[in-house]
Amino acid sequence: MTESATYDIAVSFAEEQRAVADEVVEACRQRGLTVLESNDLPEAEVRFLVPFVTSADEVGTTDEHVLPVLTGEDDPSSPHLRANGHLVDTLVSRVEEAETAGLARVPVADLVAALKQPEPEAAAVQELETGQELETGQELEPAPALEPVQPKQNPLRTLAEQFAAASPALAKRALSGTMLMGDTTVAVRVEREDNTVYAVELHDDDTVNFVVVGGSPDQFSTLWQRIEDMLSA
């Protein structure tokens, strides 16, 4: 039996989004991700499908393997990723997290099909709104509009994505940073050439561990205040 081709991500986009998508694909490949760009391999398996959309309501599925990217007018209430300078870092972080957690790849054809089908709740509402008749011959009353169900966000994952997005800017200040994302922990370490080390470890039970090696006591209090500000935001 022939094994299916496997990729980290597959991208889907309209022709008018090609320039943005091509730039993201090239940057992802430079970061070591494998990318499927066409639907010519429906049997291929991927960790994530990344559809580029112009509005938040174009994608009805909340499948964890689908990571929509919003290219149109920004909607602050939308959980979708944004086509900005942090996108590639976020995709790399999500793939690395999936590998660590052992998230299985799935057929890209199944994910593409899920994009074209409404979620069960939306389908049920649509049936009611068509005014289907009851067995008694009476017509159903139109159902009230349901609020869209937003996928639950993982605060640790969001924090890890922010750390990953900010990490490249550290080089401008002669710093280097490393970040590890686990199931219940985020660990960040920042180093300077003179060996001053700042290390922060955050757990999903609100436990925070931090270490300052080298430098003055003032640096210790400053780091403490930044952690307090971050937790109270």
Side-chain angles (χ1 to χ4, degrees):
M1 185 176 185
T2 303
E3 293 186 0
S4 301
T6 58
Y7 296 85
D8 291 319
I9 63 174
V11 296
S12 171
F13 53 88
E15 185 60 32
E16 60 269 19
Q17 299 164 322
R18 178 174 295 277
V20 175
D22 285 348
E23 183 177 346
V24 172
V25 168
E26 180 61 26
C28 286
R29 286 173 172 163
Q30 290 179 1
R31 295 286 296 274
L33 299 187
T34 54
V35 184
L36 176 65
E37 291 186 77
S38 69
N39 295 327
D40 296 336
L41 296 174
E43 73 284 0
E45 296 184 345
V46 299
R47 292 197 187 278
F48 297 105
L49 172 63
V50 182
F52 289 77
V53 298
T54 56
S55 63
D57 57 0
E58 286 185 36
V59 177
T61 181
T62 56
D63 192 302
E64 64 178 335
H65 294 275
V66 179
L67 303 177
V69 176
L70 189 60
T71 61
E73 184 176 350
D74 193 9
D75 180 358
S77 66
S78 171
H80 295 346
L81 302 179
R82 305 301 194 270
N84 55 30
H86 303 318
L87 176 58
V88 174
D89 289 321
T90 300
L91 292 176
V92 171
S93 176
R94 295 293 292 271
V95 170
E96 291 176 347
E97 180 185 342
E99 291 175 346
T100 301
L103 182 66
R105 292 181 173 89
V106 295
V108 66
D110 292 351
L111 298 178
V112 172
L115 291 178
K116 301 177 180 179
Q117 297 177 357
E119 290 289 281
E121 287 187 5
V125 172
Q126 184 177 8
E127 288 183 0
L128 291 175
E129 290 181 342
T130 59
Q132 293 181 351
E133 292 186 354
L134 298 174
E135 292 182 359
T136 59
Q138 296 179 342
E139 193 174 88
L140 288 172
E141 293 292 331
L146 297 180
E147 293 294 329
V149 179
Q150 300 293 345
K152 184 178 180 180
Q153 297 297 301
N154 184 328
L156 276 179
R157 174 181 294 174
T158 301
L159 183 60
E161 291 174 354
Q162 292 174 348
F163 279 133
S167 181
L170 292 174
K172 298 178 181 179
R173 300 186 179 182
L175 297 169
S176 61
T178 55
M179 188 272 292
L180 173 65
M181 173 66 188
D183 292 337
T184 60
T185 307
V186 172
V188 179
R189 184 176 63 188
V190 178
E191 298 175 280
R192 192 185 295 273
E193 293 180 356
D194 59 9
N195 293 324
T196 299
V197 176
Y198 304 82
V200 182
E201 184 182 61
L202 301 98
H203 298 260
D204 61 356
D205 61 357
D206 295 334
T207 300
V208 177
N209 299 319
F210 58 92
V211 177
V212 180
V213 180
S216 67
D218 292 340
Q219 293 174 322
F220 184 88
S221 61
T222 299
L223 180 59
W224 169 264
Q225 186 59 50
R226 288 182 179 177
I227 293 173
E228 286 295 309
D229 292 342
M230 177 177 58
L231 292 178
S232 62

